[in-house]
């Protein structure tokens, strides 16, 4: 089973995240092909809002699980929900599509939080490599997901991207029973779901390392939400076509994968707080470079942003593994993902009024947000000999991981 976990769990995470990355594009293309572009945008927004709401609740449920079954059920519910959205849009039942989107979105954080919480190991070095692999799966999904959606649309029509999305999510669901389950003492009568929810919120807000990392990731997500909306404008201004923005995003994802490969070789995640802070600065500098107003600068900016984006996420993941207790680990990941989704959405909404002041002003605002986020991340850093580098911890220290066993 350990060998199966080593192979199946990472494959499941990559497949799920590629499908999740494609989902929004697939729904928009499907709705656009059916002349319901506005409905597609509404469904896309509702999926994100519901994910932000559902993350903490889903995290509590998954944390109380004794096997990989609840993760598989959550992923299956998300997959079936997206299929239901497609069926409703196909039959022009727009209101029903929106209701189903809300229900499906509640399970969306399982793709991020559920898999991230399970991708760890007793051995410190392997735990760090898994954190980097986990972060790389997002970059890989960001690289291939939209590209697969576009190719599927061009080859087989508007329904093909959604079908491919469902197949990838289905593959992730099949792998979910092999996810590593964090064993801890069975919750007693005093440990109820609502109490666990309060504990999870308290851990994120009161534990200094997690609080600093969470605040930093939210501020950075706000800045990246602004930047993501500006990418088509950069493509239009620098290359004469908004579609060039997708190439810039592909460069970001490719650079993130390359930087994570270097991160693994150097073993830098022994100090994940330092990695998070420095990588966030690098992303901010890359966004500021994009404001230079030259095509070469835009390409270099994408590479610099990607070089910071991969380690930034790897550092955040490793901090959460080190700081979260077994009972609350998935909730920490799912709630963190929900907060990042919400912050990114706020950034996307802020991009439009910022653009009225000019593209340069908007880009510099996004860059400044990352510099603020880097300053906040300073509180999440480990000093030599102080931070844990393994998900194993001595039981004498409260609020940490008790032990990790693979699902049997």
């Amino acid at each position: 089973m350990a060998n199966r976990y080593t192979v199946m769990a990472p494959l499941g995470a990559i497949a799920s995240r590629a499908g999740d990355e494609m989902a929004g594009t697939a729904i928009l293309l499907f709705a656009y092909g059916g002349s319901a572009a506005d409905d597609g945008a509404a469904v896309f927004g509702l999926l994100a809002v519901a994910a932000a709401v559902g993350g903490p609740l889903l995290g509590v449920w998954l944390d109380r699980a004794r096997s990989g079954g609840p993760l598989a059920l959550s992923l299956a519910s998300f997959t079936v929900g997206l299929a239901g959205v497609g069926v409703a849009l196909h039959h022009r039942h727009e209101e029903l599509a929106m209701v189903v989107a809300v229900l499906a979105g509640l399970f969306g954080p399982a793709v991020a939080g559920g898999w991230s919480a399970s991708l760890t190991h007793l051995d410190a070095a392997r735990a760090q490599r898994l954190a980097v692999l986990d972060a790389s799966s997002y970059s890989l999904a960001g690289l291939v997901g939209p590209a697969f959606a576009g190719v599927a649309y061009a080859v087989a029509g508007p329904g093909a991207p959604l079908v491919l999305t469902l197949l990838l999510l289905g593959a992730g669901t099949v792998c979910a029973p092999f996810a590593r389950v964090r064993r801890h003492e069975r919750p007693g009568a005093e440990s109820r779901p609502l109490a666990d929810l309060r504990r999870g919120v308290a851990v994120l807000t009161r534990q200094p390392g997690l609080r600093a990392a969470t605040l930093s990731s939210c501020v950075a997500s706000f800045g990246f939400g602004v930047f993501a909306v500006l990418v088509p404008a950069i493509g239009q201004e620098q290359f004469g076509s908004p579609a060039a923005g997708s190439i810039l995003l592909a460069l970001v994802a490719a650079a993130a994968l390359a930087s994570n490969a270097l991160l693994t070789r150097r073993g830098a995640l022994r100090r994940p707080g330092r990695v998070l802070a420095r990588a966030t600065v690098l992303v901010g500098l890359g966004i500021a470079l994009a404001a230079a107003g030259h095509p070469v600068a835009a390409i270099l900016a994408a590479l610099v942003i990607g070089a910071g984006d991969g380690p930034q996420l790897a550092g955040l993941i490793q901090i959460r593994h080190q700081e979260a207790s077994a009972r609350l680990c998935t909730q920490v990941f799912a709630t963190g993902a929900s907060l990042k989704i919400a912050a990114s959405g706020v950034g996307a909404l802020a991009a439009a009024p910022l653009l009225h002041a000019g593209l340069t002003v908007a880009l510099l605002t996004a860059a400044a947000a990352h510099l603020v986020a880097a300053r906040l991340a300073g509180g999440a850093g480990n000093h030599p000999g102080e931070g844990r580098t393994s998900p194993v911890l001595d039981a004498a220290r409260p609020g940490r991981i008790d032990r990790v066993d693979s699902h049997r």
Side-chain angles (χ1 to χ4, degrees):
M1 180 60 70
N3 290 336
R4 290 183 182 179
Y5 163 75
T6 303
V7 176
M8 297 294 284
L11 283 178
I14 291 171
S16 296
R17 285 164 183 166
D20 185 49
E21 192 70 32
M22 286 180 62
T25 303
I27 287 174
L28 292 172
L29 290 173
F30 186 73
Y32 182 80
S35 301
D38 291 342
D39 296 322
V43 167
F44 178 77
L46 288 170
L47 279 169
V49 170
V53 173
L57 302 175
L58 183 64
V60 170
W61 182 42
L62 294 179
D63 274 330
R64 297 171 70 86
R66 311 292 293 182
S67 72
L71 176 59
L73 183 58
S74 299
L75 292 171
S77 299
F78 183 54
T79 306
V80 172
L82 289 180
V85 168
V87 171
L89 287 176
H90 177 70
H91 292 285
R92 301 297 181 88
H93 298 313
E94 291 82 6
E95 294 81 4
L96 177 61
M98 294 178 190
V99 172
V100 176
V102 171
L103 297 175
L106 294 174
F107 294 95
V111 176
W115 279 117
S116 287
S118 74
L119 288 172
T120 189
H121 201 278
L122 288 167
D123 179 73
R126 290 187 181 181
Q128 291 169 18
R129 285 197 295 270
L130 281 171
V132 173
L133 184 148
D134 193 11
S136 298
S137 70
Y138 287 97
S139 301
L140 183 61
L143 181 63
V144 304
F148 280 0
V151 170
Y153 181 87
V155 172
L162 185 56
V163 171
L164 186 55
T165 296
L166 298 176
L167 289 174
L168 287 168
L169 289 171
T173 301
V174 170
C175 295
F178 297 97
R180 191 180 296 276
V181 176
R182 292 167 172 266
R183 307 284 186 185
H184 52 80
E185 293 182 6
R186 186 180 296 276
E190 75 284 355
S191 179
R192 297 176 180 174
L194 211 51
D196 283 347
L197 181 62
R198 287 196 295 269
R199 284 193 196 96
V201 173
V203 164
L204 282 170
T205 55
R206 298 177 187 172
Q207 196 159 307
L210 278 177
R211 181 175 64 238
T214 301
L215 285 173
S216 173
S217 68
C218 287
V219 175
S221 293
F222 167 84
F224 204 85
V226 173
F227 171 73
V229 174
L230 301 177
V231 167
I234 296 172
Q236 178 65 49
E237 183 175 287
Q238 303 302 328
F239 302 96
S241 170
S246 62
I247 298 175
L248 294 176
L249 291 177
L251 288 175
V252 169
L257 286 170
S259 62
N260 276 343
L262 293 175
L263 191 69
T264 303
R265 289 172 179 259
R266 297 180 62 184
L269 279 186
R270 288 190 297 268
R271 294 180 174 179
R274 179 178 294 182
V275 171
L276 177 63
R278 291 181 176 179
T280 303
V281 169
L282 198 57
V283 175
L285 292 177
I287 295 175
L289 181 59
H294 192 278
V296 174
I299 293 171
L300 289 175
L303 296 175
V304 173
I305 291 167
D309 184 60
Q312 181 187 42
L313 183 54
L316 176 63
I317 288 170
Q318 183 68 357
I319 290 169
R320 287 175 177 167
H321 276 307
Q322 289 184 351
E323 299 291 335
S325 68
R327 178 175 294 180
L328 302 172
C329 183
T330 312
Q331 188 183 165
V332 166
F333 274 99
T335 302
S338 301
L339 292 172
K340 287 184 68 176
I341 290 170
S344 180
V346 173
L349 290 174
L354 285 171
L355 266 175
H356 289 304
L359 180 59
T360 299
V361 171
L363 285 169
L364 291 178
T365 300
H370 280 83
L371 297 181
V372 172
R375 181 68 181 87
L376 293 171
N382 291 328
H383 300 286
E386 292 182 7
R388 291 187 305 107
T389 56
S390 168
V392 183
L393 115 264
D394 60 32
R397 298 178 66 187
R400 307 288 187 167
I401 297 172
D402 302 311
R403 68 174 201 220
V404 182
D405 293 326
S406 61
H407 171 54
R408 304 185 187 282

